[in-house]
């Protein structure tokens, strides 16, 4: 126990909470758990530390959580709220002292990263202390240290994006589905028995590309993990109010929350 520590770097939807120019009760809340930066995770294991996604708040998240080490980056998809902190990976490349930083993503997401951040991949910016990403497109299970990571294709509007299942020593520890409209049967079978599940739960009302709270609760009830955490929330869902109406094994994630498995 304790070899897999997750820190929620961000738990907000693409615009973050509070939203710019909004005076609603959640955006005006004094509860620090109602301040949500863009969704991302930092995962530490004895052999390696890595992030899932680097959104526009990545630099501030690393400073807030005192992130000192990064051995790899994993991307769910290329929407701007998940990739726009890419340039701030340069500090971690610097700390790797000449080694390249492995970047894992689906082939589609990798192609987008290489287009948007071409300067980092094409070698034109290859001077000391700058980005040295090493693209590793993935469609099957891969490993970072002793953690095996399985891509979970899920529908997210008109595209499929990747959630991920993280396992160690044969234990299905953790599944992360931050952006999805549904969890297909094949993915449910792959993550059956997972200990901790993280699900997209944007708001109460249905949305074309994200699960609503009710849709997320249906998935959680069907899979019955020990704990489910909701993420990628918008300002419709206040932390304290939402927690009051959830089943006992479901919690609302918040920025800075740590889970150790
Ligand atoms: Zn998103
Ligand atoms: Zn608001
Ligand atoms: Zn998205």
């Amino acid at each position: 126990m304790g070899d897999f520590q997750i820190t929620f770097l961000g738990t907000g939807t693409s615009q973050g909470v509070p939203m710019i120019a909004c005076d609603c009760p959640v955006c005006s809340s004094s509860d620090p758990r109602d301040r949500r930066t863009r969704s991302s995770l930092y995962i530490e294991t004895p052999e390696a530390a890595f992030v899932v996604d680097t959104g526009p708040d990545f630099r501030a998240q690393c400073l807030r959580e005192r992130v000192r080490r990064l051995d790899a980056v994993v991307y769910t998809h290329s929407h701007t709220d998940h990739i726009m902190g890419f340039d701030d990976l340069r500090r971690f490349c610097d700390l790797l002292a000449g080694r390249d930083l492995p970047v894992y993503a689906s082939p589609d997401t990798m192609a987008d990263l290489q287009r948007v951040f071409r300067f980092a991949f094409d070698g034109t910016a290859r001077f000391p202390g700058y980005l040295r990403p090493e693209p590793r497109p993935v469609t099957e299970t891969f490993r970072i240290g002793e953690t095996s990571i399985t891509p979970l294709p899920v529908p997210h509007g008109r595209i499929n994006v990747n959630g991920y299942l993280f396992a160690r020593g044969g234990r299905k520890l953790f599944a992360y589905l931050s952006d999805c409209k549904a969890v297909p049967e094949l993915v449910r079978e792959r993550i059956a028995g997972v200990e901790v599940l993280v699900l997209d739960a944007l708001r109460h009302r249905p949305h074309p590309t994200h699960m609503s709270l009710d849709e997320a609760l249906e998935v959680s009830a069907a899979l019955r993990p020990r704990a489910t955490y909701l993420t990628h929330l918008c300002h419709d869902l206040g932390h304290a109010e939402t927690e009051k109406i959830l089943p006992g094994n479901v919690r609302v994630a918040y920025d800075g929350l740590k889970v150790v498995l």
Side-chain angles (χ1 to χ4, degrees):
M1 289 291 278
D3 279 354
F4 191 82
Q5 176 170 290
I6 304 136
T7 303
F8 287 85
L9 294 180
T11 57
T13 191
S14 53
Q15 297 203 63
V17 181
M19 190 167 73
I20 293 172
C22 184
D23 300 314
C24 80
V26 174
C27 288
S28 317
S29 164
S30 58
D31 186 338
R33 297 169 303 179
D34 285 324
R35 304 191 74 82
R36 300 185 183 279
T37 57
R38 268 58 73 89
S39 293
S40 172
L41 298 176
Y42 180 57
I43 295 173
E44 293 165 275
T45 70
E47 325 81 48
F50 51 98
V51 283
V52 180
D53 294 332
T54 58
D57 301 307
F58 178 61
R59 174 176 170 275
Q61 292 165 338
C62 288
L63 293 171
R64 189 192 74 214
E65 298 300 331
R66 302 180 189 284
V67 175
R68 303 256 141 189
R69 173 180 177 188
L70 204 60
D71 301 296
V73 187
V74 179
Y75 284 100
T76 58
H77 65 307
S78 60
H79 283 164
T80 50
D81 55 322
H82 297 262
I83 68 167
M84 280 302 167
F86 184 89
D87 198 58
D88 286 312
L89 290 169
R90 65 169 73 173
R91 175 62 180 139
F92 296 107
C93 290
D94 200 11
L95 293 172
L96 287 173
R99 278 179 293 141
D100 292 349
L101 180 68
V103 174
Y104 298 90
S106 72
D108 283 352
T109 298
M110 192 67 74
D112 286 343
L113 287 168
Q114 289 177 305
R115 176 175 51 79
V116 175
F117 304 104
R118 192 172 74 188
F119 56 90
F121 288 93
D122 72 2
T124 54
R126 281 232 154 187
F127 46 84
Y130 202 63
L131 287 164
R132 293 176 63 104
E134 182 197 318
R136 296 192 184 176
V138 287
T139 54
E140 299 294 333
T141 300
F142 60 98
R143 291 173 79 86
I144 299 178
E146 297 297 309
T147 307
S148 73
I149 304 172
T150 303
L152 306 169
V154 284
H156 180 42
R158 270 172 288 175
I159 57 170
N160 264 342
V161 306
N162 276 354
Y164 290 99
L165 171 66
F166 302 87
R168 289 174 69 87
R171 280 172 70 201
K172 292 183 189 179
L173 292 177
F174 183 73
Y176 184 65
L177 301 168
S178 67
D179 290 62
C180 57
K181 176 58 192 167
V183 181
E185 196 49 45
L186 220 59
V187 170
R188 294 184 192 219
E189 283 168 23
R190 286 208 107 149
I191 65 176
V194 71
E195 295 180 24
V196 173
L197 177 61
V198 180
L199 292 174
D200 183 356
L202 182 74
R203 63 187 192 189
H204 288 294
R205 284 173 296 133
H207 185 275
T209 69
H210 292 277
M211 293 197 292
S212 66
L213 178 59
D214 282 347
E215 287 166 334
L217 291 179
E218 183 277 317
V219 176
S220 176
L223 287 164
R224 302 170 59 86
R226 195 176 77 216
T228 295
Y229 292 92
L230 306 177
T231 194
H232 214 290
L233 276 64
C234 84
H235 66 161
D236 287 359
L237 298 177
H239 187 96
E241 289 298 305
T242 307
E243 288 241 299
K244 279 185 205 157
I245 58 168
L246 295 177
N249 68 328
V250 184
R251 303 259 62 90
V252 181
Y254 54 88
D255 287 26
L257 170 66
K258 288 185 196 301
V259 177
V260 183
L261 294 168

